[in-house]
Amino acid sequence: MICQLPRGYFGYVVRVVGTTQLSHVRRRLQQSRPHKQSVSVVVRHYTALSHASHRSLLVGAGASTTPVRGVGLLVARVLRGALKLRYLLLGGTIAGGSALAKTYEEWKAALPDSKFLQDLLPSAEEVDKMRMKLLAFKDSIKDAVPDFQLDPRLRELGDARYGELVSWFNKRLDDAIRAAEEEKRDASQPIFTEGSLLHLSGTPDYRALPPAPTDLASDLKQHAISFTSGGGTDKEKAQVLHVKKSLIDMYSEVLDELCDYDTSYDTHDHLPRVVVVGDQSSGKTSVLEMIAQARIFPRGAGEMMTRAPVMVTLSEGPYHIAQFKDSSREFDLSKEAELSELRKEVELRMRNSVAGGRTVSHEIISMTVRGPGLQRMVLVDLPGIISTVTSDMAVDTREAITSISEQHMSNPNAIILCVQDGSVDAERSNVTQLAARMDPTGRRTIFVLTKVDLAEENLANPERIKKILAGRLFPMKALGYFAVVTGRGNKNETINDIRDYEEQFFKSSKLFRSGGVVSTHQCTTRNLSFAVSECFWKMVRDTVEQQADAFKATRFNLETEWKNNFPRLRELDRNELFEKCRGEILDEVVNLSLVSPKHWEEALSRKLWDKINTYVFENIYLPAAQSDNSGTFNTTADIKLKQWADQMLPKRCVEIGWETLQEEFKGLLDAAKKSRDHDNIFDNLKAAVMEEAIKRHEWEDKASDMLRVIQLNAFEDRSVPDKPQWDAACHFLEEALQEKIAANDAKLKEMLGPSSWDQWVYWCNPTEEQKKRSAVRMELEKLLQATFNHKNTLSYDELTTTRKNVQTLGYDVDNECIRETWHLVYRRHFMRKALARAYDSRKAFYAYHQGLESELGVDCNDVVLFWRIHQMVRVTANALRQQIMNREARRLEREIKEVLEEVGCDRDKKAELLVGRRVLLAEELKRVRQIQEKLEEFIQALNSEK
């Protein structure tokens, strides 16, 4: 076996058997060794082992021990040595030579920069000569050792064993020959190099340059092949693969960061890209599809299909997929159904971009295409340049297309891929003049002649095509000139069909082969894609340092602004601010669970009474109090309470409980605002999250049914058990009456105007309406003084008397004015009487307990009614408190977390809720720092790669 020894010298170890073969191999290897390196041939003799093995083989087969056996053994040894030598030299020599040729340049670059080693190291030409000698040596060995036949005596081992030996030997020999032929074929394939792009005009001389990797991806593949062939240690292999892969990933990250940072793609943007321009129906979209290796664009017969710029970012990946920049869906380009859906989506986006009567749009449709073997670059497909505006187009379509093309082509780092239809006359071209105007020196223009198969069918003049591809016909200059074929006009053709047709055409074309019109390296979209990739990467290398310097200056300006405006704050972007706000909200949720049961019950009791006291007074207490005896009072109250508990009270209490929960949580948030660490930048976000969580929250339905049962039970009990509860009921009634009296007096004062004291002290005068109502109040109070236990309504005679008495005072009033004033005056009179009875009832518990109210003339019905209502409020507050602490608070916490998760995933929502110069400055500063760091890391990797 031939293997490569450690770097620094060349050596081969050959295991052979026999002195004759040893001398022959040593002589041939010394003749073909590279330069002056020593060739060590280590011959290991296994004579004893070989004798023993052959002896056992022949004896086991029944061979005789006569002198003939010695001759047979000698023949077997020679045969074995020749067979092994042929196999080893055919397989190992070719494999070692191939590995040597492929890894030599990397091996040489890895050596220290020492001048004294230059004389010792062989040149590339000498390595090629050595490789050719090895191949010639292989051919000589193949001719010198014709088809060998195994010793027939080995059949004595058995037909099965003999057949296995023959099959094994033939297979290994065929593999070695096939590998040699593939190496020859790979070595003859033309590869586009960067040096070929240095010509501004004329046919590029590709053959004058050594083969080079087409881009970083192919460079990585070349290294992988070299190391697989036997060059380098495992550690070195892993290190090189890591560097190459990281370099591709780093550039991909830089490109994505820059695209996200500036998505406008205006002329001031310095990102390198390939701008595909051409006349309408010139085949520019097909060229782009061939580079992307997928039919991703809609097609039409003679109709303008590209109505908006389409930016396609190509990158390597394990699967061939496409994805729009603003969508998460991935289209599998290996499936025709998804390819069709992708084309429909592109067409739909184009039509949506030209709404409002326009024919073309400046709006860019961005998509990413990943796949194995794709070149890493950015291409922009522009609408085709037209000569005539048809009736179904907007009148300014031609100018709009020219404006779009100029905008993208004017970018100093844009590579112009100028596509010209080869099947039409050159004088009809519009795009070449535009390219010449935008890039007069041709330093970033690549010319592509499409549809050359149609040109051959039309018997085009070979000299004219030769002038086009030599850069002598059109008034423009370019880095390189290419001829391609992008199909036969059948929209059902696949990329593989088009590629096969293109290769077959250029192989059989008389115009491009026999006529010698163009070099082979100027043909096929494969060479074109290599050229575009090389130019793109060269542009990246030339501009990445400028980008880094620009972002470094931008970073300094932003950091200076931050230090001057926000000196004591950390630079938090929206995501970091959101996470901080999320923590504060969740902390408040935790604090909500720490609220004591006593606080909950007090808050719920207060809220319940605030919401139901009006209904209690207006619909239950006042109607029941109009009765003349206690039986009627209690009957009316029982009926009203039962109807209330059956119909609306439970649901209303659930609403009150939910409102209380909201208020308590908002109270915690408001309390947090008063702390020293409060940041008002979170106020909008907290309010929005709270509002959305409250909107989603729904109280459990069974809660109202549970409340209905306990409330009915509370209303059914009319027996006050002890003196403390009696005193509590009296106090509850007194407070309720005092609140109502105060509210009623406020309304009455507003109706009657300022009092005499206010008029003298504050210089306030009542209006005429207020004077009328004051006169009515005086007459109504006289009526109440005359009839202390008056009903809550006025009779017709009382209305008439009051109106006439007011008229004697000079005021003309109607019955409606009297009734409105009477409502407030009587209510105050009634509640004052009820308050007096409440005071008297404080000491009436003994009479109530003994049933002596009527005998002692004490009316305790008001106290008992409000004790029942107070009990209902107490048990309802307790039930709601348990529901909140055990169920609703936890459900609200889950809903708040769900809202936070949704907002955290919604970039637009965060941008809407977290606003201000502080946020924008932190966002921009973080992005600029991130981009600058990635650029510097990428530049360092590029420099180390050089």
Side-chain angles (χ1 to χ4, degrees), residues 651-679:
K651 293 183 178 180
R652 181 56 179 158
C653 290
V654 168
E655 296 174 0
I656 293 170
W658 177 219
E659 293 174 5
T660 306
L661 177 58
Q662 297 178 44
E663 291 178 359
E664 289 298 320
F665 187 60
K666 290 180 179 179
L668 293 175
L669 295 178
D670 293 338
K673 293 181 180 179
K674 299 178 182 179
S675 64
R676 297 179 57 184
D677 298 331
H678 173 67
D679 195 342

Side-chain angles (χ1 to χ4, degrees), residues 466-478:
K466 186 175 182 179
K467 288 183 179 180
I468 293 176
L469 297 178
R472 298 194 302 270
L473 184 62
F474 291 110
M476 58 173 291
K477 297 179 180 180

Side-chain angles (χ1 to χ4, degrees), residues 54-55 57-58 63-80 151-154:
H54 279 278
R55 185 180 301 112
L57 177 63
L58 295 177
S64 63
T65 57
T66 60
V68 179
R69 184 169 65 89
V71 178
L73 286 175
L74 179 61
V75 173
R77 290 178 186 175
V78 174
L79 178 61
R80 185 184 64 178
D151 194 336
R153 288 178 294 177
L154 293 178

Side-chain angles (χ1 to χ4, degrees), residues 425-683:
D425 296 335
E427 291 77 10
R428 296 167 56 184
S429 174
N430 296 312
V431 67
T432 52
Q433 295 181 355
L434 179 62
R437 186 170 74 252
M438 303 307 299
D439 183 26
T441 61
R443 68 176 185 85
R444 54 187 181 90
T445 301
I446 297 177
F447 180 85
V448 183
L449 187 66
T450 62
K451 304 180 182 180
V452 293
D453 54 338
L454 298 180
E456 185 179 39
E457 291 180 3
N458 298 332
L459 301 178
N461 186 359
E463 292 299 325
R464 190 173 180 84
I465 294 179
K466 186 175 182 179
K467 288 183 179 180
I468 293 176
L469 297 178
R472 298 194 302 270
L473 184 62
F474 291 110
M476 58 173 291
K477 297 179 180 180
L479 292 171
Y481 297 81
F482 293 87
V484 299
V485 175
T486 56
R488 286 165 283 193
N490 185 1
K491 63 180 182 180
N492 296 324
E493 286 181 311
T494 64
I495 294 297
N496 292 331
D497 295 338
I498 298 175
R499 185 185 297 111
D500 294 341
Y501 171 70
E502 182 185 44
E503 293 178 358
Q504 184 63 31
F505 169 78
F506 283 112
K507 286 180 180 179
S508 59
S509 172
K510 297 181 180 179
L511 184 62
F512 286 86
R513 286 297 181 184
S514 301
V517 175
V518 64
S519 172
T520 57
H521 299 286
Q522 291 180 265
C523 301
T524 72
T525 52
R526 175 178 177 272
N527 288 330
L528 171 63
S529 63
F530 290 161
V532 174
S533 176
E534 280 295 327
C535 189
F536 176 80
W537 275 94
K538 184 177 183 299
M539 190 73 72
V540 170
R541 292 177 183 273
D542 294 341
T543 59
V544 68
E545 293 187 0
Q546 299 175 5
Q547 290 279 4
D549 294 339
F551 277 98
K552 186 182 296 184
T554 304
R555 174 179 176 177
F556 175 79
N557 297 336
L558 295 176
E559 288 178 343
T560 304
E561 182 181 354
W562 182 273
K563 292 178 181 178
N564 293 332
N565 295 321
F566 312 102
R568 295 181 178 85
L569 296 176
R570 287 194 302 123
E571 303 154 1
L572 302 178
D573 60 5
R574 280 194 176 91
N575 293 331
E576 294 169 335
L577 288 173
F578 174 77
E579 292 301 325
K580 184 178 180 181
C581 182
R582 180 209 293 266
E584 293 185 4
I585 294 176
L586 295 179
D587 289 342
E588 299 306 328
V589 173
V590 173
N591 293 335
L592 185 64
S593 64
L594 299 178
V595 176
S596 65
K598 180 181 179 181
H599 179 83
W600 276 119
E601 292 196 13
E602 291 177 352
L604 288 166
S605 299
R606 185 169 54 252
K607 187 74 173 178
L608 282 169
W609 179 244
D610 289 342
K611 295 296 183 179
I612 68 174
N613 66 68
T614 301
Y615 184 89
V616 169
F617 272 93
E618 299 295 335
N619 298 84
I620 299 175
Y621 179 54
L622 290 179
Q626 303 306 314
S627 60
D628 297 332
N629 55 69
S630 60
T632 306
F633 180 93
N634 292 329
T635 302
T636 305
D638 290 344
I639 295 173
K640 296 289 185 180
L641 291 174
K642 180 89 169 39
Q643 292 176 350
W644 188 33
D646 283 337
Q647 297 176 1
M648 53 182 299
L649 179 59
K651 293 183 178 180
R652 181 56 179 158
C653 290
V654 168
E655 296 174 0
I656 293 170
W658 177 219
E659 293 174 5
T660 306
L661 177 58
Q662 297 178 44
E663 291 178 359
E664 289 298 320
F665 187 60
K666 290 180 179 179
L668 293 175
L669 295 178
D670 293 338
K673 293 181 180 179
K674 299 178 182 179
S675 64
R676 297 179 57 184
D677 298 331
H678 173 67
D679 195 342
N680 56 8
I681 200 171
F682 300 139
D683 292 345

Side-chain angles (χ1 to χ4, degrees), residues 57 102 144 267 283 402 532 620 659 704 823:
L57 177 63
K102 289 184 177 180
T267 55
T402 304
V532 174
I620 299 175
E659 293 174 5
S704 60
H823 178 75

